[in-house]
Amino acid sequence: ETGVEGLYALPLSMDINALYVNESLAPEPALNLVDIEAQASAGVPIVLEANPTNGFWGFGSMGGLVTAEDRLTDENAAALIAWLAWLREMRDGGDIVLVDEHESARQAFLDGESAYLVGAASDFFSLHSLGQTGQLSTGMLPSGPGGKASPIMMAYGIMVNSATSNSQALLLGDLARFLTDQETAHRIAEVAHLVPANTTIDQGEDPHITAFS
C-alpha cells in the first residue's frame, strides 16, 4: 500500500526477442528450423547464441511449454534435450557458429558475418547502421517441429517504495500513469523503440516495433 489507491507499480515496457535479418544475406528470412538448416547448408552465414537468455527460444520450437510449475516435466525435458541436440548438430556440422555472449553475436551481425541476430527491441539502436541501408528487417523467431518459438520476456515498470509518503506517492502515481497512458506509451515506442506493456497501444507502422508486440 502506498496511499495511491493501493497502487505500488505500473508496467512501462517489455523486452522480448525476435529475429533481426540482414536481407542482403538472407533475402527470404527463415520461418522455421528447416529453413535455417537449408540456408546454412547453402552457405548463408549464421551465428546463434548458446546462452539461457537469447538461446532459449528454440525450447518452444521443439515442443517445450513454459509453465509456472517448479518441476521439469518429461515433455519439457525432451524438448530441451532436442533443442540442445539440434544446436550441437548444426555446430558440429560446421553449418552455424555458436557463441556465448550476445555482444559477439551482435558484432557478427553488424560485420556481415551472420544473416540473423536473435535480439530484443532494445538492440535496435545498435543496429541503426544496417537500418539506414535498408538491409535490416525484423520478424518472428523460427518455429520448429514442436510449434512456435518461446523467447523469454522481460518486463520493466515503475515502482513506488512502500515507505514513500502519501504526498510523494500521489505525485509518483500521477507520473507513472502519465508514462503508461496510451499517448505517452505510443510516443515512447516511436522515439525509444521500447515495446509498451500497454497492449491497447496502436504500434503504428514501425515494423521494428510491431515484430516484438
Side-chain angles (χ1 to χ4, degrees), residues 4-5 36 48-49 61 64 92 101-102 127 138 140 142 150 157-158 177 186 189 194 200 208:
V4 190
E5 301 173 356
I36 291 283
L48 295 177
E49 293 174 57
S61 301
D92 292 349
E101 301 295 333
H102 183 59
L127 306 175
T138 318
M140 295 181 64
S150 58
I158 301 168
R177 290 189 179 92
H186 180 68
L194 294 175
T200 66
H208 300 299

Side-chain angles (χ1 to χ4, degrees), residues 93-160:
D95 295 319
I96 67 171
V97 175
L98 291 183
V99 296
D100 294 328
E101 301 295 333
H102 183 59
E103 182 55 38
S104 299
R106 181 166 51 192
Q107 194 58 53
F109 185 71
L110 285 169
D111 292 343
E113 297 172 359
S114 179
Y116 301 114
L117 173 69
V118 176
S122 54
D123 283 306
F124 177 78
F125 287 112
S126 67
L127 306 175
H128 187 58
S129 59
L130 271 180
Q132 287 180 318
T133 64
Q135 298 174 339
L136 180 67
S137 65
T138 318
M140 295 181 64
L141 288 163
S143 62
K148 295 181 180 180
S150 58
I152 294 175
M153 185 185 76
M154 303 293 291
Y156 304 95
I158 301 168
M159 308 216 35
V160 179

Side-chain angles (χ1 to χ4, degrees), residues 7 9-14 156-159 172-188 195-201:
L7 175 70
L10 274 177
L12 179 61
S13 66
M14 57 185 179
Y156 304 95
I158 301 168
M159 308 216 35
L172 289 171
D174 288 340
L175 173 62
R177 290 189 179 92
F178 167 74
L179 290 174
T180 55
D181 72 13
Q182 197 164 32
E183 182 178 352
T184 306
H186 180 68
R187 184 63 177 158
I188 290 174
V195 182
N198 185 346
T199 57
T200 66
I201 300 299

